[in-house]
């Protein structure tokens, strides 16, 4: 009847159900907040941050490191760091790291991190031992770092670095599910940088590749090859295996323009046509094709990759079609 009192245990269970419901709502709200991309907390240690300026605050024996709050993505795939002061040693590192990277290590020292170090021009790719990569950087230089996001979902991406707007080199690195976060490391008194997480980078006109309307000026070296518009014609003697015709393009391949095609218009008698990549050479010899390494290395700055076309020994024609990635 109406005067019957509900057991205390039932009331207690009702309270538990209410608490459980509130917890579920709070969890859903947090998941929604993460999905909405609300600002995440940046992390740094032994550094002072004033707006977009970072300055080293350690004792020159301990590393100071900054990690941005958001990873690079398709919509924001590049950032830059301007060196305001190199301090005592100029041990400034710019690169990408996992979200919870240890702040007492330079970027690039630990697995799943990569960085370009200003003091020695070396690339550190998940290893405290660096590899020679590019030029050293000094006060006033801008070091940029970006990714090509088309392969991120496959678990890897190409990370490239720039100095003062010009590409230095690139390297392919694995990517954790959380992504790669912009990072800056410092290691000596007086070091100071400005960070631009919204920077953009475009190929300068000097770095543009040969396009469909290629002419003689687009070729850096020609040997027994004649250029006519977009056609290359072998004009050598064609009497022996050493009578090689060579054409090397003036501009190298880069991470932004990394592909070319050759359309064979006339294959000649036996279609002795070879195409590939090689370092830039200051002269051409007949035996050059047989003595030059054919292994391209995009992640080393000293490897200047060029288009190479070799044709021998019979007359032939082919048409150059080069596509630039947008």
């Amino acid at each position: 009847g109406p005067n019957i009192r509900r057991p205390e245990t039932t009331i207690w269970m009702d309270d538990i159900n209410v608490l459980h419901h509130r917890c579920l709502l709070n969890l859903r709200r947090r998941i929604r907040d993460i999905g909405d991309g609300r600002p995440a907390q940046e992390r740094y240690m032994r550094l002072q941050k004033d707006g977009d300026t970072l300055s080293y605050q350690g004792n020159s024996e301990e590393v100071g490191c900054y990690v941005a709050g958001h990873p690079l993505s398709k919509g924001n795939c590049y950032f830059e760091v301007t060196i305001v002061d190199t301090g005592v040693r100029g041990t400034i590192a710019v690169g990408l790291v996992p979200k919870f990277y240890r702040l007492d290590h330079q970027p690039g020292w630990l697995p799943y991190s990569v960085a370009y170090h200003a003091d020695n021009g070396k690339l550190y790719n998940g290893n405290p031992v660096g590899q020679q990569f590019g030029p050293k950087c000094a006060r006033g230089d801008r070091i940029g770092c970006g990714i090509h996001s088309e392969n991120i979902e496959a678990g890897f991406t190409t990370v490239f670095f720039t100095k003062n707007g010009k590409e230095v080199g690139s390297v392919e690195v694995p990517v954790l599910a959380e992504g790669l976060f912009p990072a800056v490391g410092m290691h000596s008194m007086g070091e100071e940088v400005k960070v631009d997480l919204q920077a953009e980078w475009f190929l300068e006109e000097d770095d543009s590749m040969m396009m469909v309307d290629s002419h003689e000026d687009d070729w850096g070296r020609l040997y027994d090859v004649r250029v006519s518009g977009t056609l290359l014609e072998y004009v050598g003697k064609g009497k022996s295996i050493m009578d090689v015709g060579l054409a090397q393009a003036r501009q190298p391949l880069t991470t932004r323009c990394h592909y070319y095609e050759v359309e064979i218009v006339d294959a000649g008698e036996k279609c002795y046509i070879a195409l590939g990549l090689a370092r830039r050479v200051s002269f051409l010899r007949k035996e050059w094709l047989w003595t030059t390494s054919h292994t391209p290395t995009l992640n080393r700055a000293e490897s200047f990759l060029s288009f190479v076309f070799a044709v021998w020994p019979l007359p032939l024609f082919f048409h150059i079609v080069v596509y630039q990635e947008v």
Side-chain angles (χ1 to χ4, degrees):
N3 295 326
I4 296 178
R5 185 177 180 183
R6 297 176 65 192
E8 293 292 339
T9 55
T10 304
I11 297 175
W12 182 75
M13 289 301 297
D14 287 346
D15 291 340
I16 291 295
N17 289 334
V18 171
L19 181 61
H20 179 66
H21 180 66
R22 289 177 178 174
C23 287
L24 286 177
L25 289 178
N26 188 42
L27 178 61
R28 290 172 182 170
R29 189 176 297 114
R30 292 186 64 184
I31 294 175
R32 185 190 64 223
D33 291 347
I34 295 174
D36 288 343
R38 296 188 180 184
Q41 287 295 320
E42 55 192 5
R43 300 186 303 124
Y44 52 92
M45 183 170 69
R46 301 190 186 98
L47 301 177
Q48 178 179 331
K49 187 174 187 295
D50 182 10
D52 58 358
T53 301
L54 296 173
S55 55
Y56 181 74
Q57 297 296 306
N59 57 13
S60 293
E61 295 182 359
E62 299 172 313
V63 171
C65 186
Y66 165 86
V67 178
H70 289 285
L72 293 187
S73 62
K74 292 182 179 180
N76 183 23
C77 59
Y78 179 77
F79 75 102
E80 279 189 344
V81 173
T82 301
I83 300 177
V84 178
D85 197 325
T86 56
V88 176
R89 298 194 301 264
T91 46
I92 298 169
V94 177
L96 299 170
V97 301
K99 182 176 183 179
F100 297 107
Y101 192 77
R102 291 183 56 177
L103 299 180
D104 58 351
H105 283 63
Q106 284 276 33
W109 284 2
L110 297 180
Y112 298 101
S113 70
V114 60
Y116 180 26
H117 286 224
D119 59 319
N120 55 18
K122 291 185 177 181
L123 180 76
Y124 291 77
N125 186 8
N127 194 312
V129 178
Q131 300 294 325
Q132 199 56 49
F133 182 69
K136 298 178 182 180
C137 301
R139 181 176 181 177
D141 286 334
R142 299 186 341 265
I143 303 175
C145 178
I147 61 172
H148 295 302
S149 57
E150 59 268 16
N151 292 328
I152 276 190
E153 295 178 357
F156 63 93
T157 189
T158 299
V159 176
F160 66 93
F161 293 90
T162 66
K163 178 185 177 183
N164 299 328
K166 293 184 177 294
E167 184 172 345
V168 175
S170 64
V171 62
E172 189 173 279
V173 299
V175 182
L176 297 176
E178 63 200 27
L180 291 170
F181 291 70
V184 180
M186 301 186 208
H187 203 179
S188 74
M189 294 296 296
E191 293 172 350
E192 184 174 310
V193 301
K194 284 190 175 183
V195 181
D196 183 1
L197 296 176
Q198 306 299 322
E200 296 183 353
W201 179 68
F202 303 98
L203 282 175
E204 296 185 3
E205 185 175 351
D206 291 341
D207 293 329
S208 60
M209 298 297 105
M210 273 194 323
M211 301 306 288
V212 177
D213 57 345
S214 300
H215 294 90
E216 187 169 358
D217 291 342
D218 292 314
W219 298 95
R221 297 291 183 271
L222 293 169
Y223 185 87
D224 282 349
V225 172
R226 181 170 58 203
V227 178
S228 178
T230 59
L231 293 176
L232 296 181
E233 178 187 1
Y234 174 69
V235 294
K237 297 179 180 179
K239 292 182 178 181
S240 73
I241 196 171
M242 300 309 296
D243 288 331
V244 178
L246 295 170
Q248 186 179 60
R250 188 177 302 278
Q251 298 291 343
L253 295 181
T254 69
T255 54
R256 290 291 182 90
C257 204
H258 53 76
Y259 174 77
Y260 73 96
E261 287 185 352
V262 173
E263 178 183 339
I264 299 174
V265 178
D266 188 336
E269 183 178 340
K270 294 185 177 180
C271 193
Y272 288 145
I273 301 173
L275 58 148
L277 302 171
R279 297 185 182 183
R280 179 172 54 187
V281 294
S282 57
F283 59 91
L284 291 174
R285 301 183 307 182
K286 293 182 179 180
E287 64 271 21
W288 181 83
L289 177 65
W290 316 112
T291 59
T292 301
S293 171
H294 295 280
T295 304
T297 310
L298 270 175
N299 62 345
R300 295 180 65 92
E302 64 267 26
S303 296
F304 189 100
L305 299 185
S306 306
F307 310 118
V308 180
F309 305 98
V311 295
W312 61 274
L314 300 173
L316 51 85
F317 299 86
F318 53 89
H319 173 71
I320 305 304
V321 184
V322 180
Y323 297 98
Q324 181 172 5
E325 182 178 343
V326 179

